[in-house]
Amino acid sequence: MANKLRRLLVFSHDIGNPRVGLVLGHARSLSSSSPAPPEAERRAVVEDEKKGEERNGPGSEGRKVDGEDEEGDDDNGGVYANKVTGEVGGPRGPEPTRYGDWERGGRCSDF
Amino acid sequence: MSRGVQLYERVPAVSDTGTTLVRQRFCRVRASQVQILNPVNTWVCMSSKFSCIKSHCFQVIFNRNHASRRNLKISCFQDSATKYFDFVVIGSGVAGLRYALEVSKRGSVAVITKAEPHESNTNYAQGGVSAVLCPSDSVENHMRDTIVAGVHLCDEETVRVVCTEGPDRIKELIAIGALFDHGEDGNLHLAREGGHSHRRIVHAADMTGREIERALLKAVDDDPNISIFEHHFAIDLLTSQDESDIYCHGVDTLNTETQQVVRFISKVTLLASGGAGHIYPTTTNPLVATGDGVAMAHRAQAVISNMEFVQFHPTALADEGLPIKPNKRRENAFLITEAVRGDGGILYNQSMQRFMPLYDEREELAPRDVVARSIDDQLKKRGKKYVLLDISHKPRQEILAHFPNIAAECLQYGLDITSMPIPVVPAAHYMCGGVQAGLHGETNIKGLYVAGEVACTGLHGANRLASNSLLEALVFARRAVRPSIDHLECLSLNIQDSNMWARPVLPLSLKSNTVRDIMLQTRVIRTELQSIMWESVGIVRSTSRLKTAEWKIGELEIEWEKFLFRQGWELTMVGLEACEMRNLFCCAKLVVNSALARRESRGLHFTEDFPYLEESKRKPTIILPSSSLKLTWSSRQLHKEPH
C-alpha cells in the first residue's frame, strides 16, 4: 500500500501551488525541475486579505454577504476599484486566483 | 450561359402578392428576373466568380409564374446544395473567428458552426488569457512555466513562438473590441493563476472567454466577406489523394434545422472545432464538444497526437449525490474551487473516511493532480460514483460569504453546504492532444489547417498551463493565415467537380418510428461509452483496464453499428446523433490507443503499470492513419463507404 501511495506522488510536481507554501511553509517539492514558487508573495496577498477581514471586525462577514467590500472605494465615478490590487471594475471580495484556480463565489471556471 | 445568381434567403414568408420567399433554397436565375425589394439578411453569390458577398440589402421574391418560362433556369435542390467559398472555417470559437477575420481580407469565408455561434468551449473559458505584459515578466519565464507544467513534453519552438507572439495577439483583440479589466494606473490588470510565476493573466471580470467571443462575433457579423452558417454540423472532410499527398477540398455538412445536406467546396479549410469532453460522463464542456474535428481529421488520414493527455478537474459537483436529482442531465459540470479545500474543506469517501492522508502528507492541500488521482483511486476501489467534500464544520456565515455560488446551486437540489458535505466527482475539461499541427497550423493534409483545442501544437505537452489555451488558439489562428493565403493563391482556378464524392443522404426512406428508435438507442450507447471511458480510461489508468476498454469499446461499436444497419440505416446516411456517436467512438479509441502506447507516467497520463517518468519516453504519441481494411463506420469517411 505504501509503495502504491508513493507512486501516486512520485511524478506529480508542485507547479507553484501557492497553498503549499502558505499552510505548511516547508512542503517538499516533488519535482526538482519545478521552479521555486514565489510563495512569500502569494502568502502576503492572502494574509493581507485575511487581515482586512479581521480589521473589519466580527460584522465583516455579514457585510460581505451584503455585497459591500471594505477594501474598495467608489472614487472612480462609481466604479469599484480594489485597493489591494488596483484593479478597476473587478470583482469585489477575495482575489479569484488566491488558491491557484479562478473562482467566483466558489465556482471554478479555470485552472 | 448567362451569368447566374445564387440566392439564399433566410426567412420563409409569404408576401401579400402571393409569391413565396423560399428558405435555404439554391436557385440559379437570371439577375434580371429578380426583383430587389426590402432589406433583410440575404446572401447574394455571384457564381461565375465563386465568391460570396453577404449583402444586408436584398429580399428576393420569386414570382411563381416565372418558373415556367423556358429562359429561366431554376434548379432547386430540396435535399442538398453546394456552396463555394475560398475559405471554410469549421467552428466558431476564438480560433475559428480570429482566423476568419484575417482571411476575409483575401477572399470569401464561410464559418460553419453546429449550434449557435457562441456555443463553444471558448464561451465557457472564464478565467483569462495569459501573456507577457508586465515589465518584470519575460518570455523566458512564461516559457519555463509552460514547459514545467507540460512536464517537458512541450515542443520548445512552439512554446517560444506562442509566448513571444501572445502580447501582440492580445493587443489585436483589444483593437477588435474586446474589453479587458484595467488597473487604476490604466494598464491591463493582470492576475496570477496556479503554475504562473508572474502576474500575466488578462481577463474580463470572470467572463473572459465570453467577452472575447462577443467581440469576435460582432466583428464577424460586421464583415461582409464572412458568412456564418449556424446549425450546420460537419460530417466529413472532402479529400483527394495523388501519389504522395492528400488534399482537402472542403467539408460536407448537415443543416440540422432544415435537415438538408450542404456541401462546402473550399480552397482552404481551417479546422477549429474544439474539444471532446463528452467522451466522458462528467465534463465542463458544452454539448457540442463531441470531438468532431479530431474524428473527421483522423478519417481523412491526418496525423493525431497526444490524445492520452486529458485534463480533469478533481471536484465537480456530482449530481448523483444530490438529495433532489436535477430533472435533466447537467450539460456542463459545476466545478468546486480549490478555495473550498484551501479554507479547510475535507475530502471523505462515502464511508466517511478521510482518505487524502493516505495519499499525500499535504492532505487536502496537495496539488490538484494528486487530489484528482486520489479521488479517482477511491472511486474505482470502492465502486462509487462520487466522494464528499465537507466544509460544514466552518462557520455558516463564512461559508455563505466565500462560496455563495456553490451554496445557491446546491440549495436548489436540497443540499445545505453549511450542514452537509458536497458530493464531488472529477470532470473532463480539456484535451491537450489533437490533430498534429506544425508551427503555422499546417497538417499533413494540403489545404487543411488547425487551430485551438482541436490541434496538438506541442504547446501543452503533458499538461496544460492555466489560461494558455485561449492564447494558443489566438496565436495559431493568426499564424495559419499566411500559409492559407499562399495556398489559396497557388491553386489553379479549376474547381473540383463537386460530385466526385458521394453525397451523404438523410434517412428519408426510414419510418419516423425507426429513426426515433435509432436516436434513443444511440443515446443509450453514448452513455455506455462514457461509462467505459470513465471506469477504464480515467485519471488513474492501468494496462489491464485500458485493454479492457479497448475491447469493450470495440464490442460496443460493433453492437451499435449492427443495430443501425439492421434498422435499415445505410452507409451514407447521416443524422446528428449518429454522426456525433461515430465521432465519439473515434475519439475514445484514439485516447485508449494513445494511453496504451505511453509506457510511462507523465503529466495528465498516469498508469499504475508504469508509474514513473522515463526520459527515453519524452516524445509525443503519434497516431498515423488507419491502414486496416476492416474499418468501422466511425473510422471511414462517409463518401468512401462502398455503396
Side-chain angles (χ1 to χ4, degrees), chain B residues 3 5 43 108 188-189 211 219 239 255 311 316 351 360 368 376 392 478 504 519 583:
Chain B
R3 218 159 79 149
V5 172
W43 295 288
S108 60
L188 283 170
H189 179 262
E211 170 56 20
T239 52
N255 181 331
Q311 189 175 46
S351 307
D360 194 294
R368 192 182 307 119
D376 192 61
S392 63
R478 190 67 188 74
M519 229 170 66
N583 292 340

Side-chain angles (χ1 to χ4, degrees), chain B residues 160-329:
Chain B
R160 181 180 305 282
V161 154
V162 172
C163 295
T164 305
E165 298 182 4
D168 283 343
R169 302 290 84 82
I170 304 282
K171 288 167 191 160
E172 278 164 14
L173 263 190
I174 294 169
I176 289 170
L179 299 167
F180 296 119
D181 288 2
H182 282 72
E184 282 177 305
D185 57 1
N187 291 327
L188 283 170
H189 179 262
L190 304 172
R192 201 175 115 200
E193 271 185 287
H196 289 273
S197 56
H198 284 71
R199 301 181 81 87
R200 61 171 76 100
I201 315 296
V202 175
H203 58 105
D206 55 349
M207 298 191 315
T208 308
R210 200 178 302 175
E211 170 56 20
I212 293 175
E213 185 73 11
R214 179 206 64 76
L216 291 174
L217 271 175
K218 177 165 190 321
V220 161
D221 263 350
D222 291 344
D223 189 324
N225 267 3
I226 305 177
S227 308
I228 298 193
F229 294 87
E230 301 176 19
H231 300 287
H232 279 62
F233 172 86
I235 301 165
D236 264 314
L237 297 169
L238 301 169
T239 52
S240 67
Q241 187 159 4
D242 64 19
E243 281 156 18
S244 51
D245 290 321
I246 307 174
Y247 299 84
C248 181
H249 305 284
V251 60
D252 274 338
T253 70
L254 170 65
N255 181 331
T256 53
E257 278 190 326
T258 62
Q259 292 299 310
Q260 287 178 314
V261 170
V262 182
R263 173 164 285 180
F264 287 82
I265 301 289
S266 63
K267 297 176 185 167
V268 180
T269 305
L270 179 86
L271 192 54
S273 49
H278 283 272
I279 58 175
Y280 289 98
T282 309
T283 174
T284 56
N285 293 184
L287 280 170
V288 295
T290 50
D292 305 330
V294 170
M296 288 196 295
H298 178 61
R299 287 194 290 264
Q301 312 213 26
V303 174
I304 309 294
S305 182
N306 284 354
M307 288 293 284
E308 66 271 40
F309 299 109
V310 181
Q311 189 175 46
F312 286 83
H313 187 278
T315 52
L317 187 60
D319 287 341
E320 292 94 343
L322 294 168
I324 303 170
K325 305 282 180 288
N327 297 344
K328 58 173 201 147
R329 187 110 179 248

Side-chain angles (χ1 to χ4, degrees), chain A residues 46-86:
Chain A
V46 181
E47 280 175 358
D48 270 346
E49 291 184 8
K50 287 203 156 141
K51 276 194 195 127
E53 285 176 28
E54 285 158 13
R55 223 183 1 245
N56 295 330
S60 67
E61 297 307 340
R63 277 203 285 278
K64 274 208 160 55
V65 168
D66 290 341
E68 290 177 27
D69 194 298
E70 292 292 295
E71 292 178 6
D73 62 43
D74 284 336
D75 284 348
N76 300 313
V79 179
Y80 165 69
N82 189 308
K83 276 209 159 114
V84 173
T85 64

Side-chain angles (χ1 to χ4, degrees), chain B residues 374-387:
Chain B
S374 309
I375 293 177
D376 192 61
D377 194 57
Q378 284 288 305
L379 291 174
K380 300 305 149 60
K381 289 220 156 38
R382 296 169 162 272
K384 297 291 186 193
K385 295 212 186 298
Y386 57 88
V387 294

